[in-house]
Amino acid sequence: MLGAAGGARTVGASINSFADRMQAQLAAAMPNHSGNGADEVNTLIKELEAAQHEADRAGQHLDGMVQTLEAGHSEIVLSLSDILGHLQFQDVMKQRLGQVFDALRDLSDLLSLSSSGAPRTKSLIDLLEDQRTSYVMESQRLVHASVDTTEHPAHHEAVRIELF
């Protein structure tokens, strides 16, 4: 956006420079003439000065508008960045809570099978191992390792949490 403001200033400066040169050339061409022709040239010079002033004022107004747009754009970018950060945090939390709910459901199913007397297809150790292998973050692995006394080979899979 700064390019547009600089462009507006450049256009305004070019118009001012052209009007100044035109005024100087007209004044030099008609130094001491009086009469209709000189009056028309003087009128033309005044009109050029007014156009030059109007172009300068419009350039300043355009520059102000561009600066206002730049400020609004920066604010929008910051707001969108904050929103995306919050969305990513919420998404990670949803995924982590989903893992907790899955583990609780598996444990509930195992307990239901045990209490019904049906033969179990998995043991509690199997469920814990399944849970350990489904971890996505190193912090989850470290917590699990701090309470699990059995030896497990180092296991690092690709991250399954997807961020935007």
Side-chain angles (χ1 to χ4, degrees), residues 25-84:
Q25 288 176 1
L26 287 173
M30 303 292 287
N32 291 321
H33 288 95
S34 59
N36 254 355
D39 288 341
E40 287 177 16
V41 169
N42 286 332
T43 302
L44 180 60
I45 289 172
K46 288 179 184 175
E47 288 175 0
L48 284 173
E49 287 174 345
Q52 176 185 1
H53 176 70
E54 183 63 27
D56 187 42
R57 191 182 68 73
Q60 290 174 356
H61 182 69
L62 179 61
D63 189 38
M65 288 174 45
V66 167
Q67 289 175 4
T68 301
L69 288 172
E70 285 173 346
H73 177 263
S74 296
E75 191 174 317
I76 288 170
V77 166
L78 288 174
S79 295
L80 285 175
S81 294
D82 286 345
I83 289 169
L84 286 175

Side-chain angles (χ1 to χ4, degrees), residues 3-158:
R9 284 197 261 333
T10 302
V11 168
S14 296
I15 290 172
N16 286 338
S17 175
F18 172 76
D20 287 341
R21 285 193 320 271
M22 180 65 77
Q23 181 180 0
Q25 288 176 1
L26 287 173
M30 303 292 287
N32 291 321
H33 288 95
S34 59
N36 254 355
D39 288 341
E40 287 177 16
V41 169
N42 286 332
T43 302
L44 180 60
I45 289 172
K46 288 179 184 175
E47 288 175 0
L48 284 173
E49 287 174 345
Q52 176 185 1
H53 176 70
E54 183 63 27
D56 187 42
R57 191 182 68 73
Q60 290 174 356
H61 182 69
L62 179 61
D63 189 38
M65 288 174 45
V66 167
Q67 289 175 4
T68 301
L69 288 172
E70 285 173 346
H73 177 263
S74 296
E75 191 174 317
I76 288 170
V77 166
L78 288 174
S79 295
L80 285 175
S81 294
D82 286 345
I83 289 169
L84 286 175
H86 288 100
L87 284 173
Q88 285 179 337
F89 174 79
Q90 295 299 326
D91 186 50
V92 169
M93 288 298 106
K94 176 193 159 286
Q95 290 179 51
R96 289 183 89 174
L97 287 173
Q99 287 179 327
V100 170
F101 290 135
D102 289 345
L104 289 173
R105 185 182 52 243
D106 291 345
L107 185 59
S108 175
D109 292 346
L110 180 67
L111 290 173
S112 294
L113 281 174
S114 293
S115 65
S116 71
R120 292 186 292 171
T121 56
K122 285 188 175 185
S123 68
L124 182 57
I125 299 296
D126 294 334
L127 288 180
L128 287 173
E129 182 60 23
D130 289 348
Q131 185 64 33
R132 187 188 64 76
T133 59
S134 72
Y135 293 145
V136 222
M137 292 177 242
E138 188 61 23
S139 62
Q140 293 171 305
R141 291 182 189 98
L142 292 173
V143 169
H144 188 104
S146 71
V147 295
D148 188 359
T149 58
T150 60
E151 289 287 324
H152 297 285
H155 185 297
H156 298 286
E157 289 185 9

